[in-house]
Amino acid sequence: MKKISTAAAKQTKNFREHKLTIGLDLGDRSSWYCVLDEAGEVVLEQRLGTTPKALKEVFEDMPRSRIALETGMHSPWVSRLLSVLGQEVIVAHARNVRLIGESRKKDDRLDARTLARLARIDPQWLCPVKHRSAKAQADLTVIRARAGLVRSRTALINTARGLTKSYGERLRGCNPRNLNPEKAQGLSPELQAALEPLLSAIESLRERIYEYNQRIEKIARESYPQVARLEQVKGVGTLIALTYLLTLEDPHRFRKSRDVGCYVGLQPGRRNSGQSEPQMHISKEGDPYLRTLLVQGAHHILGPFGADSDLRRWGLKLAERGGKNGKKRAVIATARKLAVLLHRLWVSGEAYEPLRNSHPAAMPAAA
């Protein structure tokens, strides 16, 4: 990390009399920041380490300034730290800042300067996002860690099945919940010896995943009573409900419940020009894991074990329209409606009525 020079330190003391705009380009080990004065002139450009100690040394003594940074691995804790230090923090959506992502002159110092200039002109150009709190991120980390183990278990199961088939045999009963070394007893001795450590690792992962399931149930029961409200919808379990709550965190950040469908990336894109209105794929913006869970919930709702409800009837009717991808589109549309429904239940606190729209309208009493 380059040390701050004496001249730069003296210049930092003079910042107290001016309103500053700062662009901070975060890197894994070191970052660049650019300071603009009220006239938009660059008064300081410096490199600093991407550590809490280095950030405090630079920004703790600065007057309240507007600091812009991009979303990334370090942006959650950096934005929280700078806010605690009394700074106005704007976290820019990295995918929407094309001046940086598609620039031919890609450089950390220039990126920090571009962030500062955009934040000085109009912060809305940065498409600012809001990071979740430290507690919500810690609880969500438990869910993400479990998801990592599930992906590893799936990969190992597929490896075991593929190796068995390539040998001319089959591994019977590949249910992840009960796959263990005993399942290899019907295989040839060579395969049993080769797959025993692999199947033992799968069984160990299954036990760790079960432990995570217990922790998730405990977190939901002790810290998030709203989970029970969302679980009223058949097809929404503790995992989906808790992930939904922790990802959105603040339900009142959305003006309408319908906006949640766009937030999780389940809304079709739009590229209308003149008389042309092409049908676009969903945007796939937002949190991909939450979107995956909502789609899984939609599959259950529309599947053979789904309970009768307005949402199920609507989705099945949509799938009946036919077409090559009719069922797939119905699942995505149901997942989008499920996201909207969960937000509405969360905000209103009402009891869920599965067939609310299917009840016949009450007839007015005769005079």
Side-chain angles (χ1 to χ4, degrees):
M1 184 188 75
K2 182 179 178 181
K3 294 183 179 180
I4 300 177
S5 62
T6 305
K10 292 181 179 179
Q11 201 168 12
T12 304
K13 295 180 180 179
N14 297 329
F15 289 161
R16 300 183 181 279
E17 302 176 1
H18 303 282
K19 184 177 181 180
L20 306 175
T21 305
I22 303 173
L24 178 61
D25 185 75
L26 296 175
D28 187 47
R29 296 184 179 274
S30 62
S31 306
W32 271 91
Y33 70 96
C34 173
V35 182
L36 303 180
D37 60 14
E38 295 181 358
E41 297 294 332
V42 177
V43 295
L44 178 63
E45 288 181 317
Q46 199 78 24
R47 186 192 298 271
L48 76 162
T50 311
T51 62
K53 180 180 178 181
L55 289 169
K56 287 181 180 179
E57 290 177 354
V58 174
F59 297 107
E60 189 172 22
D61 295 333
M62 277 192 181
R64 179 174 174 80
S65 307
R66 175 180 292 174
I67 302 179
L69 55 129
E70 284 186 294
T71 53
M73 180 179 295
H74 297 283
S75 62
W77 70 265
V78 171
S79 61
R80 289 195 294 265
L81 176 62
L82 294 177
S83 298
V84 171
L85 296 178
Q87 306 294 343
E88 177 191 354
V89 183
I90 299 174
V91 183
H93 197 308
R95 290 181 58 182
N96 293 338
V97 187
R98 296 180 177 269
L99 286 175
I100 295 178
E102 299 180 4
S103 175
R104 292 189 176 183
K105 296 182 179 180
K106 196 76 175 68
D107 180 78
D108 293 342
R109 181 177 61 85
L110 295 178
D111 292 349
R113 185 181 297 185
T114 302
L115 281 171
R117 295 200 181 281
L118 289 174
R120 176 178 173 271
I121 296 172
D122 186 358
Q124 294 304 316
W125 284 104
L126 298 173
C127 301
V129 300
K130 179 182 178 182
H131 280 306
R132 59 184 60 89
S133 65
K135 184 181 186 308
Q137 185 174 356
D139 293 337
L140 194 58
T141 300
V142 177
I143 296 176
R144 297 288 176 80
R146 176 194 176 275
L149 290 183
V150 171
R151 287 193 297 269
S152 299
R153 182 182 63 180
T154 302
L156 292 180
I157 291 175
N158 291 337
T159 299
R161 295 180 64 186
L163 293 174
T164 306
K165 289 181 180 180
S166 65
Y167 204 74
E169 303 183 35
R170 287 184 179 273
L171 189 63
R172 302 296 179 181
C174 293
N175 190 325
R177 295 181 177 84
N178 57 14
L179 188 61
N180 50 50
E182 297 178 359
K183 297 293 183 180
Q185 292 180 356
L187 302 178
S188 60
E190 298 84 0
L191 272 180
Q192 291 186 32
L195 296 181
E196 182 179 359
L198 183 61
L199 296 179
S200 298
I202 294 174
E203 185 178 17
S204 176
L205 285 177
R206 178 180 60 82
E207 295 173 355
R208 302 289 85 76
I209 292 172
Y210 177 78
E211 293 175 2
Y212 269 120
N213 291 339
Q214 298 299 109
R215 289 183 61 182
I216 290 172
E217 291 284 349
K218 183 178 180 181
I219 291 173
R221 183 173 61 254
E222 295 180 354
S223 302
Y224 301 94
Q226 305 93 332
V227 168
R229 188 179 304 165
L230 304 188
E231 286 180 327
Q232 297 178 98
V233 182
K234 300 300 181 182
V236 176
T238 303
L239 179 62
I240 297 179
L242 185 58
T243 306
Y244 185 91
L245 291 174
L246 293 175
T247 304
L248 271 62
E249 189 175 13
D250 181 13
H252 301 290
R253 60 193 294 193
F254 302 98
R255 189 172 60 90
K256 298 183 298 184
S257 296
R258 190 172 295 182
D259 295 338
V260 181
C262 301
Y263 177 78
V264 296
L266 291 170
Q267 189 78 10
R270 184 173 58 186
R271 188 173 292 175
N272 300 344
S273 179
Q275 302 300 320
S276 175
E277 296 184 6
Q279 186 175 11
M280 307 289 292
H281 296 287
I282 59 175
S283 64
K284 292 187 178 181
E285 295 180 347
D287 188 88
Y289 185 61
L290 175 59
R291 185 166 58 252
T292 300
L293 292 180
L294 290 172
V295 171
Q296 291 177 2
H299 272 291
H300 178 86
I301 291 173
L302 299 181
F305 303 104
D308 188 21
S309 64
D310 291 330
L311 186 58
R312 174 181 170 84
R313 294 182 182 183
W314 180 86
L316 293 178
K317 185 177 181 181
L318 186 62
E320 289 174 357
R321 295 181 182 178
K324 183 179 180 180
N325 299 319
K327 180 63 181 296
K328 294 181 180 179
R329 293 177 179 176
V331 169
I332 297 300
T334 303
R336 182 170 62 250
K337 273 189 169 291
L338 177 61
V340 176
L341 172 62
L342 294 179
H343 182 267
R344 192 58 197 165
L345 292 175
W346 186 7
V347 173
S348 65
E350 299 177 357
Y352 175 57
E353 299 180 37
L355 298 173
R356 180 175 183 177
N357 297 330
S358 300
H359 292 319
M363 297 296 294

